[in-house]
Amino acid sequence: MTFLKNIAKAVLPFAVLSGLLLFLSDREILNPYWVQIFQHACVVAISALGLNLIYGFTGLFSLGHAAFYGVGAYTAALLTKLYVGAYGDEALLATGAAFLGSLLAGGAAAALLACLVGLPTLRLTSDYLGIATLGFGVIMKVLFDNADSLLPQLGGARGMTGIARLTGIPWAVAGLVAAILVIRNLVHSTYGRALVAIREDEVAAAAMGVDTFRYKVIGFTAGCAFAGVAGGLYAHLYTFLHPSTFDFLKSFDVLMIVVLGGLGNISGTLVASFAWVFLLEGLRVALPPEYIEFRWVLIPLLLIVTMLVRPRGLFGMREFPFLRSKVYR
């Protein structure tokens, strides 16, 4: 009964918000542009929650998150392009099932690759692991640029086109709710406590009998799987993929969101993700066209001020009530 109550508390706000946005969008009260930005914010939040699991809860400094995001995006887009076509109908049950399958396949592809990458690299310590994952991101960018030599449908450096627009408000919100529930229950489980123990003191965790390497692989793989699912949603939201979207520098955007929200804080990551996306787009609208690049000056300044005022992130140790462990309610 408590489990159902927790699910209801988590799902209800997002269900209400999703229904409200659909209502406003159908009646053309809300600008379709901002509806799309909301969906993009949901996608970014899913990806950021994955990195928070890797860096915030497990303490693994990864700079290759955008590469796993790209793997999921290309995998999901290729599958729907082959089996659904460029004009899939979101309302059709078969299309919806194929889309769900492609998202899961994107997450699985990212998880499989993360496991293969993690087995040799997760034995490295923090700084060296960051450099190794950064190198992996560079390698994947080169592979995305030349992917058309292997599969012409991927487009290579020209970009991948012909992707069906299947990501809508229900899919974006459902994906975000699922990510929140999975991560919330994972971090409060035995596995989650082991991950946090490794983050706090790996030597002490090993002395207490925690198989640190196995748990690090689990945390890294699970976090990258969320990036893969988010990539699939992104591909079917914008219907075009270009390798520059998954450049290793894009990993820093997600990293800043996680640090800004607070390491190991789900609530902060959610708020920071939406704030990041809407602030970027808000400045794009507010600033005159000749000064639009100044937003890349304003945002780092804002980040510096935030870090000075709130060094542990926007939320610090606080979480929304339904995201806390029942021990602390």
PDB file of all heavy atoms in Angstrom, residues 67-85:
ATOM      1  N   ALA A  67      28.405  10.528 -25.502  1.00  0.00           N
ATOM      2  CA  ALA A  67      28.617   9.423 -26.441  1.00  0.00           C
ATOM      3  C   ALA A  67      27.546   8.342 -26.251  1.00  0.00           C
ATOM      4  O   ALA A  67      26.992   7.817 -27.229  1.00  0.00           O
ATOM      5  CB  ALA A  67      30.015   8.842 -26.249  1.00  0.00           C
ATOM      6  N   PHE A  68      27.229   8.015 -25.007  1.00  0.00           N
ATOM      7  CA  PHE A  68      26.196   7.008 -24.740  1.00  0.00           C
ATOM      8  C   PHE A  68      24.813   7.545 -25.130  1.00  0.00           C
ATOM      9  O   PHE A  68      23.945   6.802 -25.589  1.00  0.00           O
ATOM     10  CB  PHE A  68      26.233   6.604 -23.268  1.00  0.00           C
ATOM     11  CG  PHE A  68      27.521   5.967 -22.867  1.00  0.00           C
ATOM     12  CD1 PHE A  68      28.468   6.657 -22.135  1.00  0.00           C
ATOM     13  CD2 PHE A  68      27.818   4.672 -23.259  1.00  0.00           C
ATOM     14  CE1 PHE A  68      29.665   6.079 -21.780  1.00  0.00           C
ATOM     15  CE2 PHE A  68      29.021   4.072 -22.916  1.00  0.00           C
ATOM     16  CZ  PHE A  68      29.948   4.780 -22.175  1.00  0.00           C
ATOM     17  N   TYR A  69      24.618   8.831 -24.934  1.00  0.00           N
ATOM     18  CA  TYR A  69      23.390   9.513 -25.381  1.00  0.00           C
ATOM     19  C   TYR A  69      23.248   9.345 -26.900  1.00  0.00           C
ATOM     20  O   TYR A  69      22.164   9.035 -27.410  1.00  0.00           O
ATOM     21  CB  TYR A  69      23.543  10.987 -25.002  1.00  0.00           C
ATOM     22  CG  TYR A  69      22.360  11.895 -25.198  1.00  0.00           C
ATOM     23  CD1 TYR A  69      21.166  11.685 -24.537  1.00  0.00           C
ATOM     24  CD2 TYR A  69      22.468  13.023 -26.012  1.00  0.00           C
ATOM     25  CE1 TYR A  69      20.105  12.566 -24.691  1.00  0.00           C
ATOM     26  CE2 TYR A  69      21.424  13.903 -26.171  1.00  0.00           C
ATOM     27  CZ  TYR A  69      20.243  13.663 -25.507  1.00  0.00           C
ATOM     28  OH  TYR A  69      19.197  14.543 -25.665  1.00  0.00           O
ATOM     29  N   GLY A  70      24.362   9.522 -27.617  1.00  0.00           N
ATOM     30  CA  GLY A  70      24.350   9.375 -29.066  1.00  0.00           C
ATOM     31  C   GLY A  70      24.115   7.940 -29.511  1.00  0.00           C
ATOM     32  O   GLY A  70      23.394   7.702 -30.487  1.00  0.00           O
ATOM     33  N   VAL A  71      24.709   6.993 -28.800  1.00  0.00           N
ATOM     34  CA  VAL A  71      24.505   5.576 -29.149  1.00  0.00           C
ATOM     35  C   VAL A  71      23.026   5.222 -29.057  1.00  0.00           C
ATOM     36  O   VAL A  71      22.458   4.567 -29.946  1.00  0.00           O
ATOM     37  CB  VAL A  71      25.348   4.673 -28.216  1.00  0.00           C
ATOM     38  CG1 VAL A  71      24.951   3.214 -28.370  1.00  0.00           C
ATOM     39  CG2 VAL A  71      26.829   4.846 -28.514  1.00  0.00           C
ATOM     40  N   GLY A  72      22.385   5.657 -27.986  1.00  0.00           N
ATOM     41  CA  GLY A  72      20.953   5.400 -27.837  1.00  0.00           C
ATOM     42  C   GLY A  72      20.139   6.085 -28.913  1.00  0.00           C
ATOM     43  O   GLY A  72      19.183   5.507 -29.451  1.00  0.00           O
ATOM     44  N   ALA A  73      20.519   7.325 -29.255  1.00  0.00           N
ATOM     45  CA  ALA A  73      19.774   8.077 -30.268  1.00  0.00           C
ATOM     46  C   ALA A  73      19.869   7.404 -31.629  1.00  0.00           C
ATOM     47  O   ALA A  73      18.846   7.187 -32.313  1.00  0.00           O
ATOM     48  CB  ALA A  73      20.328   9.508 -30.347  1.00  0.00           C
ATOM     49  N   TYR A  74      21.070   7.043 -32.046  1.00  0.00           N
ATOM     50  CA  TYR A  74      21.250   6.420 -33.362  1.00  0.00           C
ATOM     51  C   TYR A  74      20.615   5.032 -33.412  1.00  0.00           C
ATOM     52  O   TYR A  74      20.043   4.643 -34.435  1.00  0.00           O
ATOM     53  CB  TYR A  74      22.740   6.349 -33.714  1.00  0.00           C
ATOM     54  CG  TYR A  74      23.266   7.622 -34.334  1.00  0.00           C
ATOM     55  CD1 TYR A  74      24.008   8.527 -33.590  1.00  0.00           C
ATOM     56  CD2 TYR A  74      23.016   7.927 -35.668  1.00  0.00           C
ATOM     57  CE1 TYR A  74      24.497   9.698 -34.147  1.00  0.00           C
ATOM     58  CE2 TYR A  74      23.501   9.097 -36.237  1.00  0.00           C
ATOM     59  CZ  TYR A  74      24.235   9.981 -35.477  1.00  0.00           C
ATOM     60  OH  TYR A  74      24.704  11.148 -36.041  1.00  0.00           O
ATOM     61  N   THR A  75      20.725   4.280 -32.324  1.00  0.00           N
ATOM     62  CA  THR A  75      20.133   2.933 -32.309  1.00  0.00           C
ATOM     63  C   THR A  75      18.614   3.006 -32.439  1.00  0.00           C
ATOM     64  O   THR A  75      18.015   2.312 -33.279  1.00  0.00           O
ATOM     65  CB  THR A  75      20.509   2.216 -30.990  1.00  0.00           C
ATOM     66  OG1 THR A  75      21.925   2.155 -30.877  1.00  0.00           O
ATOM     67  CG2 THR A  75      19.943   0.814 -30.975  1.00  0.00           C
ATOM     68  N   ALA A  76      17.994   3.852 -31.622  1.00  0.00           N
ATOM     69  CA  ALA A  76      16.529   3.969 -31.666  1.00  0.00           C
ATOM     70  C   ALA A  76      16.065   4.514 -33.014  1.00  0.00           C
ATOM     71  O   ALA A  76      15.088   4.017 -33.601  1.00  0.00           O
ATOM     72  CB  ALA A  76      16.056   4.877 -30.533  1.00  0.00           C
ATOM     73  N   ALA A  77      16.766   5.528 -33.527  1.00  0.00           N
ATOM     74  CA  ALA A  77      16.363   6.126 -34.803  1.00  0.00           C
ATOM     75  C   ALA A  77      16.502   5.140 -35.949  1.00  0.00           C
ATOM     76  O   ALA A  77      15.633   5.064 -36.837  1.00  0.00           O
ATOM     77  CB  ALA A  77      17.216   7.369 -35.079  1.00  0.00           C
ATOM     78  N   LEU A  78      17.577   4.365 -35.938  1.00  0.00           N
ATOM     79  CA  LEU A  78      17.779   3.384 -37.021  1.00  0.00           C
ATOM     80  C   LEU A  78      16.690   2.319 -37.000  1.00  0.00           C
ATOM     81  O   LEU A  78      16.154   1.942 -38.056  1.00  0.00           O
ATOM     82  CB  LEU A  78      19.163   2.737 -36.870  1.00  0.00           C
ATOM     83  CG  LEU A  78      19.509   1.671 -37.914  1.00  0.00           C
ATOM     84  CD1 LEU A  78      19.566   2.284 -39.314  1.00  0.00           C
ATOM     85  CD2 LEU A  78      20.836   0.997 -37.582  1.00  0.00           C
ATOM     86  N   LEU A  79      16.345   1.843 -35.814  1.00  0.00           N
ATOM     87  CA  LEU A  79      15.325   0.785 -35.718  1.00  0.00           C
ATOM     88  C   LEU A  79      13.960   1.284 -36.191  1.00  0.00           C
ATOM     89  O   LEU A  79      13.262   0.587 -36.933  1.00  0.00           O
ATOM     90  CB  LEU A  79      15.238   0.281 -34.271  1.00  0.00           C
ATOM     91  CG  LEU A  79      16.441  -0.549 -33.791  1.00  0.00           C
ATOM     92  CD1 LEU A  79      16.308  -0.892 -32.323  1.00  0.00           C
ATOM     93  CD2 LEU A  79      16.544  -1.830 -34.622  1.00  0.00           C
ATOM     94  N   THR A  80      13.568   2.475 -35.760  1.00  0.00           N
ATOM     95  CA  THR A  80      12.259   2.980 -36.207  1.00  0.00           C
ATOM     96  C   THR A  80      12.284   3.345 -37.690  1.00  0.00           C
ATOM     97  O   THR A  80      11.276   3.215 -38.384  1.00  0.00           O
ATOM     98  CB  THR A  80      11.842   4.215 -35.389  1.00  0.00           C
ATOM     99  OG1 THR A  80      12.872   5.194 -35.431  1.00  0.00           O
ATOM    100  CG2 THR A  80      11.533   3.858 -33.959  1.00  0.00           C
ATOM    101  N   LYS A  81      13.440   3.782 -38.180  1.00  0.00           N
ATOM    102  CA  LYS A  81      13.545   4.108 -39.613  1.00  0.00           C
ATOM    103  C   LYS A  81      13.377   2.853 -40.460  1.00  0.00           C
ATOM    104  O   LYS A  81      12.765   2.880 -41.535  1.00  0.00           O
ATOM    105  CB  LYS A  81      14.902   4.762 -39.892  1.00  0.00           C
ATOM    106  CG  LYS A  81      15.026   5.385 -41.267  1.00  0.00           C
ATOM    107  CD  LYS A  81      16.323   6.165 -41.382  1.00  0.00           C
ATOM    108  CE  LYS A  81      16.439   6.813 -42.760  1.00  0.00           C
ATOM    109  NZ  LYS A  81      17.672   7.619 -42.860  1.00  0.00           N
ATOM    110  N   LEU A  82      13.918   1.746 -39.960  1.00  0.00           N
ATOM    111  CA  LEU A  82      13.841   0.498 -40.708  1.00  0.00           C
ATOM    112  C   LEU A  82      12.466  -0.154 -40.610  1.00  0.00           C
ATOM    113  O   LEU A  82      11.969  -0.740 -41.576  1.00  0.00           O
ATOM    114  CB  LEU A  82      14.915  -0.478 -40.208  1.00  0.00           C
ATOM    115  CG  LEU A  82      16.372  -0.094 -40.486  1.00  0.00           C
ATOM    116  CD1 LEU A  82      17.321  -1.099 -39.832  1.00  0.00           C
ATOM    117  CD2 LEU A  82      16.631  -0.043 -41.993  1.00  0.00           C
ATOM    118  N   TYR A  83      11.839  -0.049 -39.437  1.00  0.00           N
ATOM    119  CA  TYR A  83      10.622  -0.821 -39.205  1.00  0.00           C
ATOM    120  C   TYR A  83       9.348   0.013 -39.103  1.00  0.00           C
ATOM    121  O   TYR A  83       8.248  -0.518 -39.141  1.00  0.00           O
ATOM    122  CB  TYR A  83      10.773  -1.656 -37.920  1.00  0.00           C
ATOM    123  CG  TYR A  83      11.899  -2.643 -38.031  1.00  0.00           C
ATOM    124  CD1 TYR A  83      13.084  -2.475 -37.328  1.00  0.00           C
ATOM    125  CD2 TYR A  83      11.802  -3.744 -38.878  1.00  0.00           C
ATOM    126  CE1 TYR A  83      14.131  -3.373 -37.448  1.00  0.00           C
ATOM    127  CE2 TYR A  83      12.839  -4.649 -39.012  1.00  0.00           C
ATOM    128  CZ  TYR A  83      14.006  -4.445 -38.289  1.00  0.00           C
ATOM    129  OH  TYR A  83      15.043  -5.338 -38.428  1.00  0.00           O
ATOM    130  N   VAL A  84       9.468   1.331 -38.922  1.00  0.00           N
ATOM    131  CA  VAL A  84       8.277   2.182 -38.835  1.00  0.00           C
ATOM    132  C   VAL A  84       8.211   3.144 -40.007  1.00  0.00           C
ATOM    133  O   VAL A  84       7.129   3.464 -40.502  1.00  0.00           O
ATOM    134  CB  VAL A  84       8.281   2.980 -37.498  1.00  0.00           C
ATOM    135  CG1 VAL A  84       7.096   3.939 -37.430  1.00  0.00           C
ATOM    136  CG2 VAL A  84       8.246   2.025 -36.319  1.00  0.00           C
ATOM    137  N   GLY A  85       9.375   3.608 -40.501  1.00  0.00           N
ATOM    138  CA  GLY A  85       9.390   4.582 -41.583  1.00  0.00           C
ATOM    139  C   GLY A  85       9.468   5.990 -41.039  1.00  0.00           C
ATOM    140  O   GLY A  85       9.502   6.223 -39.828  1.00  0.00           O
TER     141      GLY A  85
END
